[in-house]
Amino acid sequence: MAAQVRPAPYRRGARFAVLAVAALLLAGCQSAPVPAPDTEVPVRPAAGSAPSSVSFAPLRGTAADASELAHPSLAVKIDNHEEARPHLALNRTDLVFEELVEGGITRYVAVWHSDVPDEVGPVRSIRPMDPDIASPFGGIIAYSGGQEQFVEMMMATPLLNLVFDYDDTGLFSRADDRPGPHDVVLRAGEAVSRNAALAPPPMQFSYGTADPLVAPALAAAPTSRIDLVFSDARFPAWEWDGAASTWLRSQEGSPDLEASGERVGATNIVTLRVGIDWSYGEVPKTVMIGSGEAWVSAAGRTAHGTWAKDAAGSPITLTADDGSPLRLAPGNTWVELVPGEGSATFTP
């Protein structure tokens, strides 16, 4: 039977709030409070290509020693319940995908490759959209378990599955200082080293300079703050820190701090407007195969465009309104999978 799609029930009447025309006009007469763009950055590989001899980290677009990239990526399903905070090593990720789950809360698919920490977590269970999110990276996926049908979906991917419920190798443990079930921790470095023969991930996005949206044709508007609404229970925000060239994250009005005490930050915020498939009862499935609106925020600017993904194993393609590629700044990226009934507001 065909999948039924219905609106998310958590926040009725919410719409995507895009940049006002006035803000776009402002972009033409006001420069963003960001450093001058790089002028001598070498050409980086395009999305979908394998790591090259130029030695760019495939999931960050940053220069790196090739020998340090010769291992698989590690994708981990990360809890985002209030009792799961603070998280471990989110600032060392290459990519993080935030997705809606049941009850209106969110969870993450966090991906480490260029900088794999000793431990990550808290680790939680898989959801039906996760195979479509994680498949393009290859390598390893780690999670605590899940409904049998969702575990079978993930097991059917080419990824190596590491599952807490089935683990007898000591890769997972429970942290004494955290409440269950928000206490599962993965020995990330050990998980990667044991499986170092697996292939590194291919490039997922295209990268430009430190200010990749500066071209006038992109019509990127200055952005000081991004407010996202997944539901009444989850409304993260990002503030641009020009001095640090970083977006700083808040959750439900409070600064988002990881276990190290550092504010969670990112070089790029990619906001995708997505549909929700309700075929699995109360478990929402983010629809990842298809296309929709996209916003790329980097270096204190935001450009509008579209996203497209044609198969589970394909990367997400980002295209600007003028038809050119939407490129990211070299660095870590958060991909915000905001439901169509949610909202995204970009403040100049």
Side-chain angles (χ1 to χ4, degrees), residues 222-317:
T223 305
S224 63
R225 182 180 173 92
I226 304 167
D227 286 279
L228 306 171
V229 175
F230 283 78
S231 72
D232 290 335
R234 287 292 178 270
F235 39 97
W238 297 89
E239 303 164 72
W240 176 245
D241 182 341
S245 298
T246 301
W247 298 100
L248 298 176
R249 181 174 171 86
S250 298
Q251 295 209 75
E252 293 73 71
S254 298
D256 191 4
L257 305 179
E258 62 171 27
S260 67
E262 295 180 334
R263 184 93 172 262
V264 174
T267 302
N268 305 287
I269 309 300
V270 175
T271 305
L272 306 184
R273 185 176 186 176
V274 297
I276 300 294
D277 177 351
W278 290 97
S279 296
Y280 299 98
E282 294 303 311
V283 180
K285 178 186 178 182
T286 300
V287 178
M288 294 299 301
I289 311 302
S291 60
E293 275 190 290
W295 292 263
V296 170
S297 302
R301 310 176 194 267
T302 296
H304 180 265
T306 58
W307 69 270
K309 179 177 166 67
D310 59 14
S314 300
I316 297 167
T317 300

Side-chain angles (χ1 to χ4, degrees), residues 22 45 47 75 108 118 140 149 151 204 248 283 288-289 311 330 339 344:
Y108 308 144
D118 291 337
I140 307 166
Q149 60 181 330
V151 173
Q204 298 298 303
L248 298 176
V283 180
M288 294 299 301
I289 311 302

Side-chain angles (χ1 to χ4, degrees), residues 43-325:
V43 176
R44 289 174 169 80
S49 63
S52 70
S53 59
V54 182
S55 300
F56 287 106
L59 304 184
R60 275 183 173 243
T62 51
D65 188 323
S67 64
E68 297 177 355
L69 303 174
H71 58 79
S73 60
L74 171 66
V76 185
K77 192 60 184 284
I78 299 294
D79 197 352
N80 192 32
H81 190 278
E82 285 82 355
E83 293 187 352
R85 305 171 187 169
H87 298 96
L88 299 176
L90 282 183
N91 279 343
R92 294 174 65 177
T93 56
D94 292 55
L95 297 167
V96 178
F97 294 79
E98 184 170 18
E99 61 186 31
L100 181 71
V101 297
E102 60 272 25
I105 65 174
T106 61
R107 288 187 182 175
Y108 308 144
V109 176
V111 187
W112 287 268
H113 178 248
S114 59
D115 181 14
V116 181
D118 291 337
E119 294 184 330
V120 302
V123 182
R124 285 304 298 272
S125 55
I126 212 74
R127 290 297 182 270
M129 54 282 206
D130 297 332
D132 293 341
I133 293 174
S135 287
F137 310 116
I140 307 166
I141 178 74
Y143 51 100
S144 64
Q147 291 188 26
E148 183 177 359
Q149 60 181 330
F150 303 152
V151 173
E152 290 176 351
M153 291 163 63
M154 186 58 80
M155 291 285 188
T157 69
L159 282 68
L160 172 66
N161 284 231
L162 302 179
V163 188
F164 170 67
D165 289 352
Y166 311 144
D167 179 59
D168 60 2
T169 66
L171 285 176
F172 295 89
S173 62
R174 290 192 181 273
D176 293 337
D177 59 345
R178 291 175 178 266
H182 316 289
D183 58 349
V184 177
V185 173
L186 173 69
R187 295 170 61 197
E190 181 66 19
V192 171
S193 65
R194 289 186 189 182
N195 299 284
L198 294 175
M203 297 285 291
Q204 298 298 303
F205 297 108
S206 297
Y207 295 89
T209 67
D211 191 0
L213 307 177
V214 68
L218 296 177
T223 305
S224 63
R225 182 180 173 92
I226 304 167
D227 286 279
L228 306 171
V229 175
F230 283 78
S231 72
D232 290 335
R234 287 292 178 270
F235 39 97
W238 297 89
E239 303 164 72
W240 176 245
D241 182 341
S245 298
T246 301
W247 298 100
L248 298 176
R249 181 174 171 86
S250 298
Q251 295 209 75
E252 293 73 71
S254 298
D256 191 4
L257 305 179
E258 62 171 27
S260 67
E262 295 180 334
R263 184 93 172 262
V264 174
T267 302
N268 305 287
I269 309 300
V270 175
T271 305
L272 306 184
R273 185 176 186 176
V274 297
I276 300 294
D277 177 351
W278 290 97
S279 296
Y280 299 98
E282 294 303 311
V283 180
K285 178 186 178 182
T286 300
V287 178
M288 294 299 301
I289 311 302
S291 60
E293 275 190 290
W295 292 263
V296 170
S297 302
R301 310 176 194 267
T302 296
H304 180 265
T306 58
W307 69 270
K309 179 177 166 67
D310 59 14
S314 300
I316 297 167
T317 300
L318 300 171
T319 304
D321 288 340
D322 71 345
S324 65

